[in-house]
Amino acid sequence: MNRRNKLIDLEALAQRSHRVITSNQTPSGAYPASPAFSAYRGYCWFRDGAFIAEGVSRYGDAASAGAFHTWCARVLSDRTGHVDGLIARAERGEHVPAAELLPTRYTFDGGLGSDPWWDFQLDGYGTWLWAVSEHLRRHGEAPGTDDAYIQKGTATAVRYLNAFWDRPCYDWWEEHDEHRHLSTLGSIHAGLRAATSNPALMDALSDAERAAAAEALDGIGSLTAEGVADGHLTKWIGTTDVDASLLACVEPFGLVSRTSATAEATVRAVEDQLCVNGGVHRYAADTFYGGGQWPLLTAFLGWNHAVAGRREAALECLRWVAEQATDDGELPEQVDHHLLAPDYRQEWIDRWGTVATPLLWSHGMYLVLATELGVAGNGSAGAAS
Ligand code: BGC
């Protein structure tokens, strides 16, 4: 296949990705994580959704991303009283059990649902603040975005993170709630920075909330220094292992300066230890569905290559992701060409069915990387719909 045809294929998958995402977006604005997958059906995650919205917003569909951000802001606004109650208890010195803190996923009408989950995760709220800030910078108050809700939701998220940012919690992979994870800290740091520096959001905050956010940012900065080993960021504080989610601590979150030695060493360590034949694993001890390679993480690697000026390497990542699409142009959560723990694969299939496909976060990350590389975007959303 010549280069031109390959580029057309890459663009077609961007159009398809946009369609997969928007055709599954609910009337309420939520993005389902994976519409048909047994364990995710009926739920929207702040983490997945924020990155999906970033891809859709970059692709030029301001209305879809705006509707998602408004949905998140409403979910949070509806819980402002609950959050303020939690904060008051914490300020009185009471231990607030994790089960009473905000969940990681919601039903499409903003409810909690009745399925048990590994719920206490803080990263999604930081990632949402970062993503809504990026969206407003890019598109302003475009159709679909309800400013009153965005302001209230922003203030609620900031107060929540200011109060609880230093609690150990489950990570991006909903594991190890006994640890403090660098990618979680990176998400919170990016969110609080965005909310306190973007003029479209910062007016939602009182002086006291801005001051508390500054303190939290300092605290995260100090903790980050403890999460470095062999020159790179670590999966959690106290280990030397890496995790591919650390890529986000460089681009887009900038927890460490993108040009620092720590950033370079982190991207290199993830690539050296977790990238096999072009596809990125989550972490070395992963057993979920046998521990395959994740398209969305390969897109994060590509994003990091692209912003560091390694365009060819970034394009390789985009091509690898595109090659994982099914004949229908759907991207899965993970693929099984290279498994770290093959013996565990069947056990997950028996439990939850075959790998989640399509996973909307995979499509969202494809859009992020495709637009970063100029393979898609600049108004493509209109043409694609
Ligand atoms: C992943 C999470 C993700 C969720 C929904 C889980 O298996 O570990 O990162 O948010 O699926 O896609």
Side-chain angles (χ1 to χ4, degrees):
M1 182 174 286
N2 69 33
R3 187 174 161 75
R4 189 173 144 66
N5 284 340
K6 190 73 183 178
L7 281 177
I8 290 168
D9 281 352
L10 294 174
E11 192 179 352
L13 185 58
Q15 286 183 17
R16 177 76 179 126
S17 289
H18 174 249
R19 259 198 316 276
V20 169
I21 292 168
T22 52
S23 65
N24 281 296
Q25 186 170 23
T26 68
S28 60
Y31 291 131
S34 184
F37 184 65
S38 68
Y40 306 167
R41 196 169 32 221
Y43 288 93
C44 173
W45 273 250
F46 266 48
R47 169 182 45 253
D48 297 41
F51 284 119
I52 295 164
E54 174 64 8
V56 168
S57 172
R58 283 166 166 253
Y59 191 59
D61 189 346
S64 168
F68 170 75
H69 290 307
T70 301
W71 177 83
C72 293
R74 290 179 79 129
V75 167
L76 283 163
S77 300
D78 288 349
R79 286 175 172 71
T80 298
H82 173 67
V83 167
D84 288 342
L86 297 172
I87 294 170
R89 286 165 60 192
E91 280 173 355
R92 286 199 299 271
E94 218 180 284
H95 176 75
V96 183
E100 293 180 44
L101 295 166
L102 295 179
T104 192
R105 62 180 201 168
Y106 296 89
T107 55
F108 304 146
D109 60 1
L112 298 178
S114 51
D115 306 290
W117 201 253
W118 302 267
D119 252 323
F120 177 45
Q121 304 170 29
L122 290 163
D123 64 282
Y125 298 97
T127 304
W128 174 65
L129 287 171
W130 164 81
V132 71
S133 166
E134 292 295 301
H135 178 69
L136 294 175
R137 270 192 227 284
R138 195 173 291 123
H139 293 291
E141 246 188 78
T145 314
D146 184 318
D147 192 52
Y149 275 119
I150 299 283
Q151 301 297 313
K152 191 168 178 198
T154 296
T156 303
V158 167
R159 281 203 298 281
Y160 180 66
L161 292 175
N162 285 347
F164 297 109
W165 69 268
D166 64 345
R167 288 270 298 251
C169 68
Y170 290 110
D171 66 2
W172 278 31
W173 315 129
E174 319 194 295
E175 295 172 340
H176 294 292
D177 64 343
E178 71 280 22
H179 288 303
R180 274 180 297 191
H181 304 270
L182 272 289
S183 50
T184 299
L185 294 171
S187 307
I188 300 171
H189 198 265
L192 291 179
R193 257 173 30 238
T196 51
S197 63
N198 185 338
L201 296 177
M202 54 201 270
D203 287 348
L205 307 176
S206 67
D207 288 349
E209 286 161 355
R210 277 198 284 263
E215 253 180 63
L217 286 168
D218 281 351
I220 294 172
S222 309
L223 258 189
T224 300
E226 294 175 38
V228 177
D230 304 326
H232 59 71
L233 294 173
T234 58
K235 184 171 165 68
W236 61 67
I237 290 172
T239 181
T240 56
D241 292 348
V242 290
D243 185 293
S245 62
L246 291 170
L247 292 166
C249 292
V250 182
E251 184 67 28
F253 294 148
L255 177 63
V256 288
S257 147
R258 292 166 177 87
T259 51
S260 64
T262 311
E264 281 172 34
T266 301
V267 175
R268 205 174 327 112
V270 169
E271 190 171 25
D272 289 352
Q273 296 178 38
L274 298 174
C275 182
V276 178
N277 299 329
V280 178
H281 291 281
R282 297 196 299 181
Y283 55 94
D286 192 8
T287 59
F288 184 52
Y289 279 87
Q293 296 153 299
W294 286 50
L296 73 92
L297 289 173
T298 309
F300 271 103
L301 179 61
W303 195 0
N304 274 272
H305 283 322
V307 296
R310 296 185 292 272
R311 184 176 169 81
E312 214 18 72
L315 268 169
E316 278 309 309
C317 290
L318 188 72
R319 289 190 194 106
W320 187 90
V321 176
E323 282 161 15
Q324 311 315 315
T326 64
D327 291 346
D328 287 346
E330 292 186 344
L331 290 170
E333 181 177 61
Q334 62 169 282
V335 291
D336 61 4
H337 313 309
H338 180 267
L339 296 176
L340 297 171
D343 292 351
Y344 287 83
R345 182 165 171 273
Q346 192 58 45
E347 170 181 326
W348 282 102
I349 294 175
D350 294 344
R351 183 172 171 188
W352 282 354
T354 50
V355 167
T357 312
L359 186 86
L360 270 60
W361 187 8
S362 300
H363 285 283
M365 292 308 301
Y366 184 80
L367 288 179
V368 168
L369 184 55
T371 52
E372 183 68 32
L373 287 166
V375 166
N378 296 329
S380 313
S385 49

